[in-house]
Amino acid sequence: MGVTTKDLARICGVSLGTIDRAFRNRPGIKTETRDRILAAAREYGYKPNLLARNLKFQRTGDIGLVVHDLENEFFAQLVNAIQEIAWKRDCFLQIAISRRDHQRERAALEHMAGRNVDGILLFPAGKGEDFDAFLTGLDRPIVTIANKVSPLWPFVGLSDRPVMRRLTEAVIAKGYRRLVFVGPLEARSEGINLYEIEERYAGFVEAVDAAPGVERHLAAGGDYLEQVCALGLKEARTAVLCCSDIFALELLNDFRGRGLSVPGDVGLAGFDSIDALRFISPRITTVEYPIQKMGELAFELLAAGQVGAELPQIELEPKILWGESI
Amino acid sequence: MGVTTKDLARICGVSLGTIDRAFRNRPGIKTETRDRILAAAREYGYKPNLLARNLKFQRTGDIGLVVHDLENEFFAQLVNAIQEIAWKRDCFLQIAISRRDHQRERAALEHMAGRNVDGILLFPAGKGEDFDAFLTGLDRPIVTIANKVSPLWPFVGLSDRPVMRRLTEAVIAKGYRRLVFVGPLEARSEGINLYEIEERYAGFVEAVDAAPGVERHLAAGGDYLEQVCALGLKEARTAVLCCSDIFALELLNDFRGRGLSVPGDVGLAGFDSIDALRFISPRITTVEYPIQKMGELAFELLAAGQVGAELPQIELEPKILWGESI
DNA sequence: CTGAAAGCGCTAACAA
DNA sequence: TTGTTAGCGCTTTCAG
């Protein structure tokens, strides 16, 4: 155990009150006494016990951040962006990973709430009434990011559906007659929050269904590579639109293995604009995710403490970044 | 504020002791009373205040993890690996990012120590006597990862120097006569911990200097791209060995832009074996970093609490993964 | 200017 | 089987 205020009081021959006055720069203490105490503190390596302090204050200055994963560069960038703001605001970030797993997400959230974080930024894996109730029970300010849970919670995300519609329309305009959407929607039944993917798919569907004579396909399972290739890609002018860049990269690799050229034999687009795309050729068409801005907004919303119970639902407008892949 | 044990006691008309017996499954309580309390707890949404509990126990079950960055996929993989073990051990991970910045690193460490984490896993940015003293002052078990700080601290890393020597020797054996090492060693003076890069460079130097008639170069600055290209890559059989894959990827991009082919015009190798390499062609020669194992070992060391003050210094042996780039 | 004492919420030893 | 009480370390009010 380290040195406590009590120890210091004994060492310096003063009372606890005086120790506190010294550390917290409160008036009513001789400068000399203060100096003596601070010197002793340094000498004995006093470190305040934040648990005790926070228990007293009922606030910690920490905020919790829960994300799905870190290996997807997208999340890494998001965490970094938020971390940066938190640092500027002199606020400590507690980061936890849910792995898109309900149990873990809840465990992490519960843990953070128990630790009295002042607020939580959540990239949700869960949804539904149960989840709403659970979040309410945490009794903390929460801001949801990217995946909407319900209008009960302040939200910062993307206008996923319109942008995907625009992208799809543009692809159709380029002459593609068969469009495939790739996204892990097969997990839908399990109560997993797939808001973004569903929205993107919806935008895709809207665009294709408005275009006469264009085929629409969905590759939703873990075997999406096989599903896509089973279509016989060379038979029609086919474009594959992925709900995220990592799927596009996997497909590109697979196409290469099969001797299919992009965009010669098949068109390909991703979503998120992860940094790794810089190294890939052909340059993949994707959608720029305003991660920085999203992180900042989410943080602001949390810090502002949604006064007046407004529960803002913000949708940022992303840009389409045209590459050479479609 | 939420419901507390005291509230529950009042609500149920029992004493605090009984409440505690109910929650902590201690003997000496009627099952009926217990059930009544647990029911009330659920009904009123009781959430234990972990700050208070931990203050009592003087331990938290949390461990801290400090890494440089998350955007480098390498760290993301490391964090994920450790997170996985922590989850299995029912232990909460507090993740913080230092950005290789002394101030931030210290702030994060101090914060974690103040929060009474039970131990700290540190991928260090600092080094030197000051830093040793600082770490000692934290008065917590610490395990250092990858970058050695000093023999004072348990350490899990790589046999960076031997593996880099082996790689370099093999490259020379392939007929390359001019070897360039790329790594940000220019920061050396600022007291930043560059242990791994320095070790790798040392291995590189050893190998080249043992080979008569082979030129040795170092591109250490932020302008390494220019430095490398200024050598006139086509003039001699040149190989560029990078201290990490991300540099290799940048170089590959740059070479492409200049119409240089890899490995036709210049050989290229990385280090770390990040996942993104899967998507790159030509397949880049790299060194497999046993991240999983490293994370597990570090965690074990921390959990074991280095009894007997042994201060193990473990060096894992990585494999060279030959690709097509050299 | 300084000390004594109570309390944050939870726990556990000791009484009853 | 249950209640009382002291205490984790820090903060603050109220006396002195």
Side-chain angles (χ1 to χ4, degrees), chain B residues 28-42:
Chain B
I29 180 174
K30 247 192 301 189
T31 358
E32 182 208 302
T33 318
R34 185 201 313 283
D35 293 346
R36 192 156 52 88
I37 293 174
L38 295 182
R42 223 182 334 274

Side-chain angles (χ1 to χ4, degrees), chain B residues 5 20 24 26 46 49 52-53 56:
Chain B
T5 44
D20 191 50
R24 304 191 57 76
R26 287 198 289 142
Y46 168 75
N49 182 326
R53 173 179 294 175
K56 182 71 189 175

Side-chain angles (χ1 to χ4, degrees), chain B residues 51-70:
Chain B
L51 291 181
R53 173 179 294 175
N54 294 332
L55 176 59
K56 182 71 189 175
F57 285 152
Q58 299 292 19
R59 59 182 303 289
T60 54
D62 289 5
I63 74 161
L65 172 61
V66 182
V67 296
H68 289 178
D69 201 338
L70 287 179

Side-chain angles (χ1 to χ4, degrees), chain B residues 42-232:
Chain B
R42 223 182 334 274
E43 181 183 354
Y44 288 88
Y46 168 75
K47 293 269 191 322
N49 182 326
L50 299 184
L51 291 181
R53 173 179 294 175
N54 294 332
L55 176 59
K56 182 71 189 175
F57 285 152
Q58 299 292 19
R59 59 182 303 289
T60 54
D62 289 5
I63 74 161
L65 172 61
V66 182
V67 296
H68 289 178
D69 201 338
L70 287 179
E71 291 185 356
N72 186 339
E73 203 178 328
F74 168 78
F75 289 107
Q77 287 174 22
L78 178 66
V79 173
N80 263 339
I82 293 174
Q83 166 82 25
E84 219 42 39
I85 310 162
W87 172 256
K88 276 185 208 132
R89 302 304 197 75
D90 205 34
C91 152
F92 190 77
L93 203 60
Q94 297 202 8
I95 304 164
I97 302 170
S98 70
R99 284 206 174 271
R100 287 180 187 72
D101 175 308
H102 281 60
Q103 255 197 302
R104 288 198 194 202
E105 178 167 81
R106 289 193 183 212
L109 288 167
E110 214 142 34
H111 194 92
M112 287 174 167
R115 281 275 184 297
N116 284 22
V117 293
D118 294 345
I120 295 174
L121 296 173
L122 175 62
F123 200 117
K127 66 171 180 181
E129 286 181 24
D130 268 14
F131 195 59
D132 270 339
F134 172 81
L135 293 181
T136 306
L138 293 178
D139 195 27
R140 289 298 113 169
I142 295 175
V143 173
T144 53
I145 301 180
N147 274 342
K148 195 176 289 204
V149 172
S150 85
L152 282 178
W153 309 101
F155 170 76
V156 183
L158 233 58
S159 54
D160 290 287
R161 187 190 295 225
V163 76
M164 198 62 188
R165 180 157 18 80
R166 278 199 291 130
L167 174 61
T168 310
E169 285 165 357
V171 168
I172 293 171
K174 280 175 182 280
Y176 289 93
R177 310 308 330 155
R178 189 161 65 169
L179 269 65
V180 190
F181 182 89
V182 172
L185 285 165
E186 90 289 357
R188 241 188 300 207
S189 55
E190 305 167 30
I192 293 178
N193 194 328
L194 298 171
Y195 179 85
E196 284 206 293
I197 304 177
E198 284 166 351
E199 285 290 299
R200 289 173 197 174
Y201 183 55
F204 169 82
V205 169
E206 285 173 18
V208 178
D209 289 0
V214 178
E215 269 179 61
R216 165 158 69 74
H217 296 271
L218 171 63
D223 57 341
Y224 65 95
L225 289 173
E226 290 76 16
Q227 287 186 35
V228 169
C229 293
L231 293 172

